[in-house]
Amino acid sequence: MKIETMKRIINKETIKYIGKEIKVAGWVNSMRFHGKIIFIDLRDQSGILQLVCVPKNEKVYQLAKELRPEWVIEAIGKVSKRPFKMLNPKIETGGIEISIEKLKVLSEAKTLPFSIEDNGYEINEEKRMKYRYLDLRRERMKKNLAMRYKVIQFMRDFLQKENFIEIETPMLTKSTPEGARDFVVPSRLQPGRFYALPQSPQQYKQMLMVAGIERYFQVAKALRDEDPRADRQAEHTQLDIEMSFVEKEEILDLIERLYISLVKKIFPEKRIQKIPFPRISYKKAIEKYKTDKPDLRRNKNNPDELAFAFIVDFPMFEWHKKEKRWGAQHHPFTKPKTEDIEQIKKHPEKILAEQYDFVLNGYEIGGGSLRTTCLDVLLAVFEVLGHNAKETKKQFSNYFEAFKYGVPPHGGIAPGIDRFLAVILNEPNIREVIAFPKTGDNRDLMMDAPSEITEEQLRELKIKVDKEKKEK
């Protein structure tokens, strides 16, 4: 049979074909010469496989001698058991090898700009980001991405059994005040108008509650144009959840059951320090631990110890000293613990919120709240934030219209998937668990983004660039 017509078998499946001729393909991981025998470690997504080439097949042998690390090859040969002394129990295919009968080079490769054999932590981050497609060949990175998939799939299966519906919400939405800065997108068909990329699906998921979708979730992208920070990303992924007719404890109980089940199934080597997860008030956390995301581990040097907790009873508002104004501690749609309008307006510093954070080993890995469904309370909250009733009704007209038609009490939470994975996989940075992350200042070095667009595109969008500021 020709090499082109045979079906390719992935490396880990080759152990099922002892005594048979099969085709394999992948990258040359390494080569060893023992006398006249050439040993090739072939790497694919599933693992490493040993290929053997001897001088008897002269044409194939000469080609094998030319191979270099990271070349992409295809080979046909017979699967046989290794001699006892050559067994390698460290890999799944360590009991077999393939004697090459046909060999084809699919693609040659230059010498890589860095080694992919080690963990890569010591390599300059900008170089790793520029050559991310090579960095992802690293075994650690491949394992991280595989684990990310398992975690997300587990979350989906768990919530499906809890009668949730996964619904996608738009990526092009409306820019709103409060929160982090929006990424804005110009509209060609409506010149001078702009979409915003969502900081979260907040408004859409509340509209879904009005629509009668009582249990919604989504593995959602959140995009925020934040100032450079070492361990933040312009876009991150969260498990977005919203529920109708619930109290705070029902939401926290759901998350607790989800993460207990997830750790037990996917990370059985990890130990959860305390079940049920502690509920700590914001006031107590600040007084006792000097932070609202305390590390509650008894032994902080033990990487397999997980100390989950919920921080509750946050202040509704926080004072921004620089701007000399009140801001929302979580977001303006959070339900205050009182519906006394005058109290909210006169004493914002005393108002607590139905807000809760989810923390793990000293990191915030999620946050949520019950939502305001009383529009008078919502107007009062925005008044404290510096927005009058007229502009609030205009900015959030969808709320004021939709809530007229019957709105159930509802609330939600959005655990961050990137942060959780970084903590549980003992990674120093969330970039280690994201396939194509940005640098600390929000650049994609592999794609060279953000980048300039053409003058023609600018004209179509009716946008003029301030060249003086651009040059600076």
Side-chain angles (χ1 to χ4, degrees):
M1 185 179 289
K2 292 183 179 181
I3 194 168
E4 292 84 1
T5 58
M6 289 185 74
K7 178 186 175 183
R8 176 230 181 179
I9 305 298
I10 62 172
N11 286 353
K12 73 174 185 179
E13 297 293 324
T14 56
I15 57 177
K16 301 175 183 177
Y17 294 86
I18 293 174
K20 296 181 180 179
E21 186 177 81
I22 64 170
K23 180 169 77 173
V24 293
W27 285 260
V28 175
N29 195 67
S30 62
M31 296 179 65
R32 302 180 303 283
F33 293 82
H34 288 254
K36 293 185 177 181
I37 302 176
I38 303 174
F39 291 93
I40 302 166
D41 281 347
L42 183 74
R43 185 185 75 244
D44 71 5
Q45 185 180 350
S46 69
I48 299 289
L49 174 67
Q50 180 171 281
L51 309 181
V52 182
C53 191
V54 296
K56 183 172 67 174
N57 191 334
E58 186 176 351
K59 185 177 179 182
V60 170
Y61 186 76
Q62 292 303 321
L63 179 56
K65 288 202 299 185
E66 296 176 12
L67 298 180
R68 295 293 180 270
E70 300 308 307
W71 285 24
V72 184
I73 64 171
E74 206 171 61
I76 286 180
K78 189 176 181 181
V79 182
S80 58
K81 292 183 178 180
R82 293 195 198 185
F84 180 76
K85 292 183 179 180
M86 300 288 285
L87 295 176
N88 182 0
K90 294 180 181 179
I91 61 174
E92 201 168 347
T93 61
I96 62 158
E97 61 188 17
I98 292 183
S99 300
I100 302 177
E101 296 171 14
K102 294 181 182 179
L103 180 64
K104 182 179 181 181
V105 174
L106 300 176
S107 176
E108 296 183 7
K110 291 167 53 178
T111 301
L112 302 193
F114 46 66
S115 170
I116 60 170
E117 294 299 311
D118 50 21
N119 58 37
Y121 293 127
E122 75 290 347
I123 300 169
N124 176 277
E125 183 185 69
E126 292 212 353
K127 184 176 279 190
R128 287 182 63 198
M129 295 300 103
K130 181 177 180 181
Y131 298 100
R132 189 61 164 182
Y133 46 88
L134 300 179
D135 195 51
L136 290 177
R137 293 184 185 179
R138 202 178 304 282
E139 195 60 32
R140 176 178 64 86
M141 298 303 297
K142 288 192 290 186
K143 284 182 178 178
N144 284 355
L145 292 184
M147 200 58 72
R148 183 186 181 100
Y149 161 73
K150 288 181 180 179
V151 165
I152 292 174
Q153 191 59 46
F154 183 93
M155 289 173 167
R156 282 193 161 106
D157 292 343
F158 179 93
L159 291 172
Q160 183 185 35
K161 291 173 185 174
E162 294 281 335
N163 298 315
F164 281 80
I165 299 175
E166 183 172 9
I167 300 175
E168 296 171 90
T169 54
M171 293 300 290
L172 293 174
T173 183
K174 182 180 182 180
S175 184
T176 57
E178 301 304 316
R181 293 184 184 91
D182 290 324
F183 282 105
V184 294
V185 181
S187 170
R188 180 181 61 84
L189 298 179
Q190 288 84 34
R193 293 175 178 262
F194 296 82
Y195 298 104
L197 301 181
Q199 296 183 30
S200 82
Q202 183 63 47
Q203 295 191 52
Y204 287 107
K205 63 185 178 184
Q206 289 196 254
M207 292 301 107
L208 287 172
M209 297 302 103
V210 177
I213 308 297
E214 296 181 20
R215 291 194 159 206
Y216 140 94
F217 84 95
Q218 179 182 187
V219 178
K221 285 288 186 185
L223 301 108
R224 296 167 187 174
D225 189 8
E226 295 184 307
D227 291 332
R229 296 188 190 180
D231 201 18
R232 290 287 181 92
Q233 286 285 296
E235 53 182 316
H236 66 270
T237 307
Q238 61 190 36
L239 176 65
D240 205 56
I241 292 173
E242 198 77 6
M243 305 164 67
S244 291
F245 306 108
V246 290
E247 297 296 334
K248 175 185 68 180
E249 275 303 317
E250 293 177 75
I251 298 172
L252 302 190
D253 174 70
L254 174 82
I255 294 301
E256 184 172 279
R257 288 188 291 108
L258 168 58
Y259 280 81
I260 291 171
S261 302
L262 191 157
V263 170
K264 185 178 179 181
K265 176 71 175 179
I266 302 178
F267 303 99
E269 73 282 3
K270 302 285 182 176
R271 185 178 68 84
I272 297 175
Q273 181 171 283
K274 190 172 183 181
I275 298 174
F277 301 164
R279 273 73 161 160
I280 304 170
S281 72
Y282 173 85
K283 185 174 184 289
K284 182 180 177 181
I286 295 298
E287 289 174 352
K288 186 173 181 179
Y289 304 105
K290 312 303 181 191
T291 177
D292 59 0
K293 39 184 181 289
D295 187 348
L296 302 176
R297 287 176 293 172
R298 297 189 189 97
N299 180 2
K300 294 179 175 57
N301 296 318
N302 183 354
D304 290 334
E305 191 169 4
L306 302 177
F308 291 100
F310 294 110
I311 310 300
V312 299
D313 298 338
F314 278 78
M316 181 69 192
F317 304 100
E318 59 183 358
W319 181 251
H320 293 170
K321 291 181 181 178
K322 191 176 180 180
E323 297 91 351
K324 295 181 179 179
R325 66 175 181 84
W326 288 104
Q329 175 82 15
H330 188 47
H331 59 63
F333 307 105
T334 298
K335 183 180 180 180
K337 280 184 173 288
T338 178
E339 293 195 346
D340 186 326
I341 304 298
E342 291 306 309
Q343 185 76 2
I344 292 171
K345 292 179 181 180
K346 288 182 179 179
H347 299 288
E349 75 282 357
K350 295 182 179 179
I351 306 302
L352 296 181
E354 295 285 6
Q355 176 194 342
Y356 32 84
D357 276 2
F358 187 33
V359 301
L360 170 63
N361 293 5
Y363 293 94
E364 179 196 333
I365 61 167
S369 69
L370 298 183
R371 320 304 188 188
T372 295
T373 54
C374 175
L375 293 176
D376 289 336
V377 170
L378 188 62
L379 285 172
V381 168
F382 272 101
E383 185 175 325
V384 171
L385 300 178
H387 306 283
N388 63 45
K390 185 178 180 181
E391 62 180 299
T392 300
K393 289 179 179 179
K394 181 180 179 182
Q395 188 74 44
F396 300 102
S397 58
N398 53 326
Y399 279 91
F400 288 87
E401 182 64 23
F403 282 18
K404 294 175 184 176
Y405 296 98
V407 53
H410 58 278
I413 191 168
I417 290 173
D418 312 306
R419 172 64 61 207
F420 169 71
L421 284 164
V423 173
I424 204 161
L425 295 174
N426 302 310
E427 289 289 3
N429 194 295
I430 60 174
R431 295 182 186 89
E432 305 298 331
V433 298
I434 300 173
F436 298 104
K438 307 288 190 293
T439 59
D441 57 354
N442 294 345
R443 290 178 297 147
D444 183 337
L445 300 181
M446 187 186 75
M447 299 297 289
D448 189 25
S451 60
E452 296 179 348
I453 61 175
T454 66
E455 290 294 331
E456 183 181 354
Q457 287 174 297
L458 289 172
R459 282 195 298 272
E460 278 191 326
L461 295 168
K462 306 294 191 295
I463 291 176
K464 289 183 179 180
V465 176
D466 188 330
K467 292 186 178 180
E468 185 179 337
K469 288 187 178 180
K470 179 181 166 184
E471 287 169 3
K472 288 180 180 179

